[in-house]
Amino acid sequence: MTERLTPIVIVGARGRMGKTLIREITHSDSMILEAAVDRSSGPGLGQDAGRLAGLHELGVTVTDDLRPRRNSVVVDFSLPHATEANLRRCQEAGVPLILGTTGLTKATRELMRTVGKDIAIVSSANFSVGITLMTKIAGIMAHALGDGWDAELLEIHHSHKRDAPSGTALRIAKAVAKATGRDLEGKQRTDRADPHARPRERGEIGIAAIRGGDSVGEHTLMFLADGERIELTHRATDRAIFARGALRAARWVVDRPPGLYSMPDVLGLAGLS
Ligand code: NAD
């Protein structure tokens, strides 16, 4: 028996993530590209989505009108100013939403919670399966190791990245803090290389950042104790990992009741601690 293909609607189709998602769907045997949506202005509107993504023609034209069909899943990696309208469109159509757009305002998050009562939404600022697992494992390790171990994080990203430390590093640090009953605020230290930095204090979580080259993103969490050290590393070499994680979420969400979900839910890790 052949499995039903999941129809996917991509929002932000002309963007870096949008094109990656189109390529991943085209190479998959469990999904089909139902529609490709982007903003009204700019080049690429009216173009074939396959050609746009550097592939063969797919017969799906890029439009500026998000009208998802009932059995489809919307995958939105566009820009935060578009999110509220996209949430409402999905709510009206009664279809699930995978939301990868970052930098959402507080008001948009509140709307997401309201809309999440009517439709299933999986939202994550990092859809990488590896990072989701690493964050979970970081918490489990910190909890098991206890106070006697010092936690330090090192992250490396390409030379164009503006923010430091990375949002992902902060999330891992937060997981470590939470697992050990600490609040990251006040415990987070980013000044280890500063000549005037004071020595390490117990319970601190240090974060160091390196910028250069074309690194997609590396995160190493170290737990250090007298006589031993544990290192947990994730290395991203391709942005496609975010697209693959989001599409895994899209296949998972199909049979879920309305609600707000996260990547640990998709991977079955939510109850694990
Ligand atoms: P990008 O700038 O290359 O693409 C954004 C696309 O959205 C553009 O094609 C733009 O025209 C389109 N867009 C803008 N306004 C729109 C609207 N009103 N309706 C529809 N489309 C609209 O950016 P990108 O690198 O592809 O990233 C997109 C988003 O995904 C960003 O918020 C980024 O931070 C986020 N992101 C998330 C993850 C994750 O794992 N959650 C990973 C990578 C990127």
Side-chain angles (χ1 to χ4, degrees):
M1 200 175 78
T2 49
E3 261 187 65
R4 198 168 61 87
L5 295 176
T6 308
I8 309 282
V9 176
I10 300 294
V11 183
R14 290 176 346 211
R16 277 168 296 187
M17 281 304 297
K19 286 189 270 196
T20 310
L21 284 156
I22 292 168
R23 285 193 287 274
E24 290 294 323
I25 293 167
T26 308
H27 295 137
S28 143
D29 51 12
S30 59
M31 292 169 286
I32 186 161
L33 183 68
E34 163 92 10
V37 182
D38 208 285
R39 73 194 150 94
S40 344
S41 53
L45 215 65
Q47 204 180 330
D48 183 83
R51 291 262 180 242
L52 185 77
L55 304 169
H56 57 276
E57 200 158 305
L58 293 175
V60 176
T61 305
V62 181
T63 73
D64 60 357
D65 194 13
L66 175 59
R67 279 181 201 281
R69 282 222 313 240
R70 205 165 179 83
N71 64 345
S72 58
V73 178
V74 172
V75 178
D76 182 359
F77 280 73
S78 58
L79 295 178
H81 66 79
T83 307
E84 294 197 10
N86 297 339
L87 277 165
R88 291 204 176 91
R89 285 283 159 87
C90 293
Q91 186 182 31
E92 283 157 19
V95 302
L97 169 67
I98 309 302
L99 185 58
T101 308
T102 59
L104 304 180
T105 63
K106 204 168 162 238
T108 306
R109 289 185 181 286
E110 268 162 30
L111 179 66
M112 188 164 79
R113 274 190 283 278
T114 309
V115 172
K117 291 181 181 138
D118 292 336
I119 59 167
I121 301 172
V122 184
S123 152
S124 174
N126 191 319
F127 270 102
S128 152
V129 167
I131 283 292
T132 305
L133 257 178
M134 177 170 171
T135 309
K136 195 77 193 181
I137 292 168
I140 294 172
M141 286 176 79
H143 180 74
L145 294 170
D147 284 350
W149 293 67
D150 299 327
E152 295 274 319
L153 255 161
L154 171 67
E155 57 102 335
I156 307 176
H157 282 86
H158 55 84
S159 50
H160 306 291
K161 187 167 176 64
R162 288 164 195 236
D163 55 320
S166 71
T168 300
L170 288 173
R171 226 179 354 265
I172 295 168
K174 218 178 213 171
V176 169
K178 194 174 163 207
T180 45
R182 283 174 278 178
D183 188 356
L184 187 58
E185 213 169 308
K187 289 291 175 196
Q188 173 192 325
R189 288 284 302 274
T190 52
D191 61 346
R192 294 261 183 259
D194 186 319
H196 304 295
R198 52 179 167 73
R200 179 180 229 291
E201 280 174 18
R202 200 160 208 167
E204 283 180 348
I205 301 172
I207 310 180
I210 291 176
R211 294 287 172 268
D214 61 356
S215 170
V216 175
E218 297 185 22
H219 294 86
T220 294
L221 172 64
M222 292 172 222
F223 289 105
L224 306 102
D226 292 347
E228 56 186 326
R229 176 165 94 213
I230 306 172
E231 294 185 6
L232 189 61
T233 296
H234 178 269
R235 285 194 188 94
T237 53
D238 189 342
R239 288 172 64 88
I241 58 170
F242 306 117
R244 285 181 207 131
L247 293 172
R248 181 165 169 172
R251 294 192 303 279
W252 176 87
V253 84
V254 168
D255 300 318
R256 302 293 141 183
L260 273 189
Y261 299 98
S262 62
M263 270 309 267
D265 294 315
V266 175
L267 302 187
L269 302 171
L272 221 69
S273 60

